[in-house]
Amino acid sequence: MVINTITVGEYDKRLTILTKEKGRIQAFARGAKRQGSLFSAVSNPFVFGRFYLRNGKNAYNLAKSEVTDYFEEMSSDLDKVYYGSYFLELADYYGVENQEATEQLNLIYMSLKALLSGNYKPELVRVIYELKTLVINGEYPQVFKCNICGTDENIKYFSSAKSGCICENCGPVAGSITLAESSLYTMQFIISSPIRELFSFKVTDSVLMNLEQIMKDYFKFYVDRKFRSLEFL
């Protein structure tokens, strides 16, 4: 999937593509901005498909592509554009060259489909995407037991500083967030479920607000980048 594009010179574009085989890579689409170019339609964010590349001096060169999905519906809803763009920005942040990225690619695809379906609130799709991205990259919080004493009973709080949940006996600690029981179960489900099963549930508004608060606080604590799309949102 094309996750970012930059104009280079008058007619070319440099694409950042997330691939299942080689992770995040750079590829030039020569002449993509020329009228009638075969690369003009495929040199945009959200384009998903198969890309055929040639080796260049500092990056790959796009030879041809077979597009599976342009995600054109995204353009009709500005909020969804920003949510989708945020998903791509987060994938770019965690992307690593020459490291297989099948799971992250599948997660982006499924999240965009869920976002466009209208069956789920964009805020819920975002929470699922954020937490599962942390899982894929091995940076997710401990939500199956207290991260201080190790018990799995009476979990009542979430602490970003402690990187996970805290039981009633050990908490609250400074900056901790009261954790609803349904929020705890939801986070456990997202962490432990395969990607294909993630978008199979809904939550109440109060639980969603609790999850949003937790993820916002956790990202503020551990992610050292400001995402432009979130500022627009």
Side-chain angles (χ1 to χ4, degrees), residues 9-164:
E10 191 173 354
Y11 298 112
D12 301 338
K13 278 188 172 184
R14 187 178 69 196
L15 315 180
T16 302
I17 307 173
L18 188 69
T19 71
K20 67 178 183 179
E21 300 92 349
K22 290 183 176 293
R24 185 187 62 193
I25 62 172
Q26 305 290 322
F28 284 98
R30 305 292 181 183
K33 297 199 72 175
R34 291 183 185 275
Q35 188 173 2
S37 171
L38 295 175
F39 296 150
S40 60
V42 303
S43 301
N44 295 300
F46 303 112
V47 172
F48 180 84
R50 186 180 297 272
F51 296 84
Y52 297 85
L53 309 172
R54 296 191 181 98
N55 284 318
K57 288 184 178 181
N58 300 312
Y60 294 98
N61 290 308
L62 182 62
K64 66 175 182 176
S65 63
E66 296 172 1
V67 177
T68 304
D69 203 327
Y70 290 96
F71 286 97
E72 294 169 308
E73 313 97 305
M74 196 79 67
S75 61
S76 63
D77 188 319
L78 198 57
D79 281 346
K80 290 179 180 178
V81 169
Y82 291 140
Y83 274 105
S85 297
Y86 170 56
F87 297 167
L88 298 189
E89 283 191 83
L90 196 56
D92 190 22
Y93 174 80
Y94 278 107
V96 178
E97 291 185 11
N98 296 316
Q99 182 172 306
E100 185 265 349
T102 301
E103 281 196 302
Q104 188 69 56
L105 193 59
N106 287 341
L107 178 61
I108 294 175
Y109 185 83
M110 294 295 292
S111 299
L112 292 177
K113 285 296 185 181
L115 189 65
L116 291 174
S117 72
N119 296 325
Y120 307 95
K121 290 186 175 182
E123 296 86 353
L124 177 59
V125 178
R126 173 185 166 181
V127 165
I128 293 172
Y129 180 82
E130 287 177 331
L131 183 51
K132 200 64 174 181
T133 292
L134 293 177
V135 172
I136 292 171
N137 289 280
E139 298 182 5
Y140 62 99
Q142 170 61 260
V143 299
F144 293 92
K145 61 183 180 181
C146 175
N147 225 12
I148 296 178
C149 72
T151 183
D152 59 0
E153 297 181 353
N154 297 319
I155 302 298
K156 297 293 183 181
Y157 308 101
F158 183 91
S159 169
S160 295
K162 298 296 183 181
S163 191

